[in-house]
Every structure is written in C-alpha cells, then in structure tokens.
Amino acid sequence: MLIIPLATQAQRFKSFSNDPTLTSSEMRTFAETVPKERQKEAETLLLFFDEFWNSPQMTESFQNNFIEMSNMMLRKNLRFFPHFKSYIEAFNAFINSDLSDHDREWMRFIQYHIDHDISQFDKLMVNYTNIFNANVLNTTPNVRWTAYGIVESMGMEEEPYISYKDVDLVGAASRDSVEVIGTTGKYFPASSRWAGTKGSIFWYRAGLSGQVKAVFTQYDVDMRQPKVRVENAKLYYPDFFSQPVAGVVEDKTGLESEEEKVTY
C-alpha cells in the first residue's frame, strides 16, 4: 500500500493573491517547493524576479496581468522550474522591448499557449525571450532564424503572431546561411511558421551580382528548416534572360561556404 505523507501535499503552491505587494514573498513560498538540489538555482531566479518586479517598467497593470496569468499556469500544474523561470524571463524581455505597449496582445498570447500548447509552454516562453531581446525568431540544431530590422506589432489570427515590415530574414546554419531581403511578414511561434508577403533572394555568396535575384510576394517558411521555397517567383538574370522568368525558387544552406561549392 502506498501512503503519501500530508506534508508532501502541503508543499504544493496553489495560487498568488491579487495584492502585488505580496507577490515577491509568495514567489519565495512557491520556490520552497523546488527540490533541495535546485534551491541555489531558485535563489538566483528569486533575485532576478525581485529586480524585475520592482523595475520602473513593471507597472501595476503589468503586475496584475502577471498574477492573473500565473494563477492560470498554476491551475494547469505548471512548475517553478522550468515553466515559471521561462515565463518570468519572457515577461521581463517583453516589458523592456519595443512591443511593450501591446500588453493586451501579450496576455492573449500567454493565455493561448496555456490553453493550447501546455506541453511546449517552456520552449515557447524561451522563444519569446529571444524574439523580444534580439528578434531571433526560432532556433533549432540546424538553423537560427533572425529578423534584422524593426518589429511592427503583435496580434492574433488562428494563433499568435508577431509582424515585421521591411526586414532581412536570415536563416544561419553552422557554415552557411539563407536570406530573404526586404521582406514583410508574420511569425507564428506556436507553429514555427513565417508567412511572408514580399521579398527577394540574391546569390552574392555564389559570386553572382546584385542583378541576379528572385522576387516574389506570398510565401511561407518552416522555421525549423534551413531553407526557403517559393512556388511563384520571378527570376531576374540579365546575362541569360531579357525578361524575368517565372518559376519555383528554392534556396537552402549547405555545408560548404566557398563560392564554387554553394548549391541551389
């Protein structure tokens, strides 16, 4: 017969109060549920949390939103590690980002992921931290996608998205990269998908001039992969064609960086 001590059940932290002045002390109570071998790590996070909670950017409205989402997370049995750690770091990155005035959308994002992506919640919060801090849209063992330019807004369609306008989208692998220049589009973190509305691909790294390019409008990118494939593109190559040629373009990273070894 298995007997569960009452003390074990009492260790579960159930909710935060609605009083922001109590949240830091309540977070410390929550941290006491962490296994002994992670208490030092928990203390480091608590120090970070206190600084975050008392920063000028963390307004009372943000504090109330944080508490509301935290209690939703607790009802889903999310833990101090890794879930609240990544949530705190993502929230801190958000309030210090260019998108901090999109607080209503940010709350909708978090609620969506709690309701729909609970098994991936930690990874998604890490993803948002990277987006808010450096516009790194997605990172896998094969590629890191970054939007170089200014983020435009946040919103909801079937799932949350972050939109960019006139940026350079770069998928960098270990020794090569693929680039979409001057693109506009939306990134959907839940599905790791970029939906673009315009862009161009050049092949400078293959030794070709800027006159050689593919230009297109609608296209999607699976940001788990180091490649871009566009079904309807126009190829400009004046040395061979007097007019743009319509077709499919695919650009992907390779293992070699020398001009003569790059393949398309």
Side-chain angles (χ1 to χ4, degrees), residues 102 105 108-109 153-157 159-163 188:
H102 290 71
E105 288 81 5
R108 293 179 67 193
F109 279 28
S153 65
M154 302 167 65
M156 287 283 296
E157 292 180 355
E159 60 184 272
Y161 69 82
I162 298 176
S163 64
F188 297 85

Side-chain angles (χ1 to χ4, degrees), residues 102-150:
H102 290 71
D103 52 319
R104 181 174 298 180
E105 288 81 5
W106 176 229
M107 292 303 98
R108 293 179 67 193
F109 279 28
I110 298 169
Q111 184 171 353
Y112 176 92
H113 295 309
I114 292 172
D115 292 339
H116 296 88
D117 303 303
I118 198 68
S119 64
Q120 298 296 314
F121 186 83
D122 172 49
K123 291 181 179 179
L124 284 162
M125 291 300 106
V126 172
N127 192 179
Y128 283 118
T129 299
N130 292 334
I131 291 170
F132 296 141
N133 284 339
N135 284 331
V136 175
L137 304 186
N138 198 44
T139 301
T140 72
N142 296 322
V143 64
R144 182 182 68 181
W145 283 97
T146 304
Y148 290 95
I150 303 300

Side-chain angles (χ1 to χ4, degrees), residues 9-201:
Q9 297 181 4
Q11 288 180 357
R12 185 181 173 215
F13 184 82
K14 295 184 178 180
S15 67
F16 291 93
S17 69
N18 292 325
D19 184 353
T21 65
L22 301 177
T23 306
S24 287
S25 62
E26 291 172 339
M27 191 65 74
R28 288 194 168 273
T29 301
F30 186 19
E32 292 173 3
T33 65
V34 172
K36 184 177 180 180
E37 61 271 17
R38 301 196 71 177
Q39 282 295 325
K40 186 174 182 180
E41 186 181 356
E43 184 59 35
T44 300
L45 181 58
L46 288 170
L47 293 174
F48 178 85
F49 179 80
D50 287 343
E51 184 177 349
F52 151 72
W53 196 250
N54 296 303
S55 68
Q57 292 79 13
M58 193 63 171
T59 64
E60 184 177 355
S61 176
F62 280 146
Q63 289 178 335
N64 290 330
N65 289 339
F66 180 93
I67 292 170
E68 181 182 356
M69 294 300 107
S70 294
N71 285 331
M72 289 184 62
M73 292 166 62
L74 289 169
R75 287 194 289 272
K76 292 285 188 174
N77 296 319
L78 297 189
R79 302 186 301 274
F80 192 84
F81 289 124
H83 307 106
F84 270 81
K85 177 179 185 294
S86 58
Y87 170 56
I88 292 167
E89 291 172 345
F91 210 114
N92 179 69
F94 169 75
I95 65 173
N96 287 286
S97 74
D98 293 334
L99 291 169
S100 60
D101 58 338
H102 290 71
D103 52 319
R104 181 174 298 180
E105 288 81 5
W106 176 229
M107 292 303 98
R108 293 179 67 193
F109 279 28
I110 298 169
Q111 184 171 353
Y112 176 92
H113 295 309
I114 292 172
D115 292 339
H116 296 88
D117 303 303
I118 198 68
S119 64
Q120 298 296 314
F121 186 83
D122 172 49
K123 291 181 179 179
L124 284 162
M125 291 300 106
V126 172
N127 192 179
Y128 283 118
T129 299
N130 292 334
I131 291 170
F132 296 141
N133 284 339
N135 284 331
V136 175
L137 304 186
N138 198 44
T139 301
T140 72
N142 296 322
V143 64
R144 182 182 68 181
W145 283 97
T146 304
Y148 290 95
I150 303 300
V151 64
E152 188 174 33
S153 65
M154 302 167 65
M156 287 283 296
E157 292 180 355
E158 297 84 2
E159 60 184 272
Y161 69 82
I162 298 176
S163 64
Y164 292 84
K165 184 177 181 180
D166 296 327
V167 299
D168 294 339
L169 190 65
V170 179
S174 58
R175 297 183 60 187
D176 195 11
S177 64
V178 57
E179 302 177 357
V180 181
I181 304 301
T183 187
T184 292
K186 299 175 180 177
Y187 176 57
F188 297 85
S191 55
S192 301
R193 179 174 66 92
W194 170 273
T197 58
K198 69 171 185 174
S200 302
I201 291 176

Side-chain angles (χ1 to χ4, degrees), residues 212-249:
V212 181
K213 61 184 179 180
V215 179
F216 39 86
T217 54
Q218 302 293 328
Y219 72 104
D220 282 5
V221 179
D222 180 349
M223 295 208 147
R224 296 167 296 184
Q225 303 297 328
K227 66 178 182 179
V228 174
R229 179 181 173 87
V230 183
E231 297 295 331
N232 297 294
K234 290 184 177 181
L235 174 66
Y236 292 79
Y237 204 146
D239 289 348
F240 290 93
F241 308 109
S242 59
Q243 298 293 327
V245 177
V248 177
V249 62

